[in-house]
Amino acid sequence: MVMNFMKRFEPNPSGFRDSLYADPQAHVGRFVFDERVAEVFADMISRSVPGYATIIGMIGLLAEQHATPGSRLYDLGCSLGAATVSMGKAIGERECRLVAVDNARPMLDKAARQFAAHLQTRVETHCADIREIDIHDASVVVLNFTLQFLPVEERLILLKKIRAGMQEDAVLILSEKIAGADAREDRLLVELHHAFKRANGYSDLEISQKRSALEEVLVPELIATHTRRLQEAGFSRVNLWFQCFNFVSFIARP
């Protein structure tokens, strides 16, 4: 079911190509999820994050395995709702509540249109800070490239809150951009990522300006840091299941 969904789901339903950083900018402002970004985000993320479609598909597979009747499935920082759609399609008619949360109204509005187009079940949407959402009766929680945008000192607080609201057989899927273990490894991972972006049509100017925009907004950490934090938050089993260059995904269980 999940693999069929991956074939059917259009990675860039709007058809708009990301060219936000194609022209030289005198001052590159901080990256924000505004209307302009929402319009091109599907293209942006598919051309910028290696393995993104695989991660989305596997989120559906994990939801199919762990979603229990009557439970809630949370997509925290849902952006355009790809993970929510993947979970919804995977669980079929199972009686679960899908909850999609994002603090950017332009992103959530486009996500709602995705839900209407791809899912038969209703999705509970919240335009809110994920740190302020109540988590309860959760069988699946997804943080898909979301935690990296929170201040470092607030990440453990959120993970503890998520763990407290999860069922004992639940699963947390945490996907993140990471830093290399040392300066040499980090440089290699960054170079490989930039090569990936060039192969997908981004110019060196676009890569440089986008990196500047994200510099103070997205703070990557080591794999070991994520693992320790998840364990400190109360997750007894933490597995790194995916890595491509400096993009990873963990499965964490109580």
Side-chain angles (χ1 to χ4, degrees):
M1 179 185 296
V2 175
M3 299 308 292
N4 288 338
F5 160 66
M6 288 174 65
K7 293 176 182 177
R8 292 197 306 269
F9 190 77
E10 174 58 53
N12 185 17
S14 68
F16 292 109
R17 189 168 176 83
D18 172 28
S19 59
L20 296 182
Y21 297 96
D23 298 321
Q25 299 180 17
H27 171 71
V28 180
R30 289 163 61 97
F31 186 88
V32 293
F33 291 95
D34 56 15
E35 291 277 2
R36 294 169 66 245
V37 169
E39 196 74 7
V40 301
F41 185 75
D43 179 67
M44 176 188 288
I45 199 159
S46 66
R47 293 168 60 209
S48 300
V49 178
Y52 182 73
T54 297
I55 293 172
I56 292 298
M58 293 305 102
I59 286 172
L61 178 65
L62 289 164
E64 184 179 30
Q65 291 180 331
H66 290 87
T68 55
S71 69
R72 300 164 73 90
L73 285 64
Y74 290 85
D75 186 0
L76 301 179
C78 67
S79 64
L80 299 188
T84 303
V85 173
S86 183
M87 291 192 289
K89 284 192 168 289
I91 64 174
E93 297 181 0
R94 205 175 308 177
E95 292 186 4
C96 301
R97 177 70 63 85
L98 292 166
V99 183
V101 184
D102 205 286
N103 65 354
R105 173 55 69 184
M107 301 292 281
L108 196 61
D109 286 346
K110 289 181 74 67
R113 293 196 285 274
Q114 289 294 305
F115 303 152
H118 292 280
L119 295 177
Q120 299 294 321
T121 184
R122 178 180 176 273
V123 179
E124 180 182 319
T125 61
H126 297 273
C127 187
D129 189 315
I130 61 173
R131 292 165 290 188
E132 299 172 358
I133 290 293
D134 290 331
I135 309 292
H136 58 91
D137 297 321
S139 59
V140 181
V141 179
V142 174
L143 285 167
N144 203 38
F145 303 107
T146 302
L147 193 68
Q148 60 199 23
F149 290 104
L150 294 186
V152 171
E153 64 274 13
E154 297 184 27
R155 297 178 184 183
L156 177 59
I157 297 170
L158 175 63
L159 291 175
K160 285 183 174 180
K161 181 178 180 180
I162 291 170
R163 171 63 187 90
M166 294 175 71
Q167 299 177 345
E168 285 307 308
D169 293 328
V171 64
L172 167 68
I173 304 152
L174 172 67
S175 307
E176 289 279 288
K177 184 177 183 181
I178 55 132
D182 53 42
R184 185 175 180 180
E185 179 180 288
D186 192 63
R187 186 165 55 250
L188 172 62
L189 293 176
V190 169
E191 288 172 355
L192 289 169
H193 181 219
H194 288 178
F196 171 84
K197 295 182 77 170
R198 289 188 200 98
N200 280 323
Y202 283 114
S203 67
D204 287 337
L205 175 64
E206 288 176 289
I207 293 169
S208 175
Q209 293 190 145
K210 174 75 172 296
R211 189 177 188 188
S212 296
L214 285 168
E215 207 157 47
E216 296 180 8
V217 178
L218 191 164
V219 180
E221 297 179 290
L222 304 176
I223 287 175
T225 301
H226 283 293
T227 300
R228 283 196 301 269
R229 183 186 292 122
L230 286 163
Q231 291 169 340
E232 187 177 349
F235 294 93
S236 62
R237 295 170 291 168
V238 179
N239 298 103
L240 178 70
W241 74 270
F242 175 89
Q243 179 170 6
C244 186
F245 308 147
N246 46 358
F247 292 85
V248 304
S249 190
F250 301 87
I251 300 171
R253 302 174 178 86

